[in-house]
Amino acid sequence: MALPSINPTTTNSWKKLQEHFKAIKDVHMKDLFAQDGARANKFTIKWDDFYVDFSKNRITEETFKYLLELADDVKLKEAIYSQFSGEIINQTEGRAVLHTALRAPKDANFKVEGVNVMPEIYEVKQKIESFTNEVVNGDKKGFTGKAFTDIVNIGIGGSDLGPAMVVDSLQYYKNHLTTHFVSNVDGDHVNEVIKKLDPETTLFVIVSKTFTTQETLSNANTLKAWFLKSASEDAIAKHFVAVSTNIKNVKGFGIDENNVFPMWDWVGGRFSLWSAVGLTVSLAVGYNNFDSLLKGANKMDNHFKNEDFATNIPVVLALISVWYNNFFKAESEAIIPYSQYLNQFATYLQQGIMESNGKSVDRNGNPIDYQTGTIIWGEPGTNSQHAFFQLIHQGTKLIPADFIGFTQSLHGNQDHQDKLTSNFLAQTEALLNGKPKTEVVAEGTKEAIIPFKIFQGNKPTNTIFINKLSPESLGKLIAMYEHKIFVQGIIWNIFSYDQFGVELGKQLATKILLEINNNADNEHDSSTTNLLNYYKSLS
Ligand code: F6P
């Protein structure tokens, strides 16, 4: 069954929201808090170890009601059912979307074209587990009989960003293995990594769903050539493994079939870290931690699938985001984790959110005349406070922000944790209330400086407070954003699981490469011709 295809702007709820927007657009949140002492409680969802306060948003109970009606009007419930039941909801690529099956319990029943996929998922999980244990315990050895010390993950996009972010985020839980990530086709990237490697003790994990990606194959070939300077061809079987759907190309590369960890076309690249694409995660933090990550995601899946929309975290966050994107015309959203461990989190979400929802054609194939995918950016607090927060506080743009924090630190330094948390709470309070002229004057500010010290406030934030950064809570957090992406795609009536927008540049790069190598002569605009000639004259 196809997803429902409803232009959101034609729904009754959208029209109500448009009218309501006129009444609310200038209302200050400060007044909403003053009017209703129960506001924070009304707009807070407590679930498991998550405390999600969305009261610091430019919404009232009426807004929330219409947003929930919008979810019904676009048939979100039916769409969720279609996704979880393995229907071909990635219609443009003719695929089901079942990353949720990867983290489901063994006795779950996820079917693709009538076949339960759980047995093959658990077969691969078993393979990940035993391979991980052998490498971590040192039972698996390199070509000179030494245990592995270093893992190199070779992949790009979803085959890099997810594993890289999770390994970085869970570094507290890491074992003795050192992990490296090579993604960019920029040769300086791979060469900087090579400087740190010993061929005798390095394991290479080539991750490519298609096994056709230029960057990944170039890096894999460069690393293989470097490795073969010290080892013979038959050592490749000991040092190279691959994660892919394309077994033929993997074998063509010279990798032993036993060293292939399969994945499936119903797992999108940017949603694949739960599959064998997470092999490097499992190696870095151990299989049990990898499994806890999956269990956490599964808990969020169940919450998303079963919870009423009014108390459903991904649904509520998605609706609020639509409110700013389509009514306030906010262009971007900031993700600010108050944890240095989540340094790569916004970068990771950029692919998930922007590759999924950066679309301008609806599910009927017609051009869209309303806004879709938000621009995502962010950096951890408190660093970002000293970088771009000025613009969020006093700039001209409206930038809704998610503040993600943890009540406990992992190393237990309470002094630092209290300072971190005070900043975390202070920033959303400052963004909400601002600072009026009266306060600036009361501080004895010189007359001429007063306007510069005023903060308008009324800047929206969500606070996502989690007890502790653990594999399980990280799994929940990632899955929360995955479902938010899905909900927004349904509302905007777009296909979130294809990515044709990345193809054109790839095709042109292939042509230009032929020209650089003097194997073709193509027509270009004069700008591109000049730049190409300039490069050829200097390279
Ligand atoms: O850049 C597009 C893309 O297809 C991403 O969606 C994907 O995550 C990445 O390239 C890598 O693809 P592959 O895993 O097939 O090498």
Side-chain angles (χ1 to χ4, degrees), residues 394 435-437 440 443 445 449-455:
Q394 285 190 315
K435 191 171 184 181
K437 187 174 176 182
V440 181
E443 282 173 353
T445 311
I449 304 300
I450 290 170
F452 305 100
K453 292 203 161 182
I454 293 170
F455 290 66

Side-chain angles (χ1 to χ4, degrees), residues 390-441:
Q390 165 67 38
L391 186 144
I392 302 183
H393 281 288
Q394 285 190 315
T396 52
K397 295 183 172 55
L398 180 71
I399 302 170
D402 285 354
F403 278 65
I404 303 164
F406 298 92
T407 58
Q408 294 168 42
S409 81
L410 294 184
H411 287 278
N413 187 327
Q414 201 56 38
D415 172 51
H416 280 261
Q417 179 65 11
D418 293 345
K419 287 172 182 159
L420 178 73
T421 307
S422 61
N423 276 280
F424 174 64
L425 301 178
Q427 287 296 331
T428 61
E429 187 178 34
L431 288 164
L432 156 67
N433 290 316
K435 191 171 184 181
K437 187 174 176 182
T438 46
E439 264 179 54
V440 181
V441 172

Side-chain angles (χ1 to χ4, degrees), residues 156-159 207-213 216 269-270 351 355 499 502-503 506:
I156 196 163
S159 300
V207 188
S208 178
K209 182 176 166 184
T210 56
F211 223 80
T212 57
T213 306
T216 303
R270 52 193 175 275
Q351 187 201 15
E355 197 165 87
Q499 55 286 317
V502 299
E503 293 307 322
K506 286 188 200 172

Side-chain angles (χ1 to χ4, degrees), residues 497-536:
Y497 296 104
D498 59 24
Q499 55 286 317
F500 297 114
V502 299
E503 293 307 322
L504 179 59
K506 286 188 200 172
Q507 284 165 6
L508 295 186
T510 307
K511 281 191 181 173
I512 291 178
L513 184 60
L514 288 173
E515 290 169 68
I516 289 174
N517 295 332
N518 295 321
N519 289 328
D521 193 10
N522 294 312
E523 287 270 302
H524 298 283
D525 57 87
S526 57
S527 162
T528 308
T529 303
N530 284 352
L531 291 163
L532 179 54
N533 290 337
Y534 180 69
Y535 175 71
K536 284 174 80 167

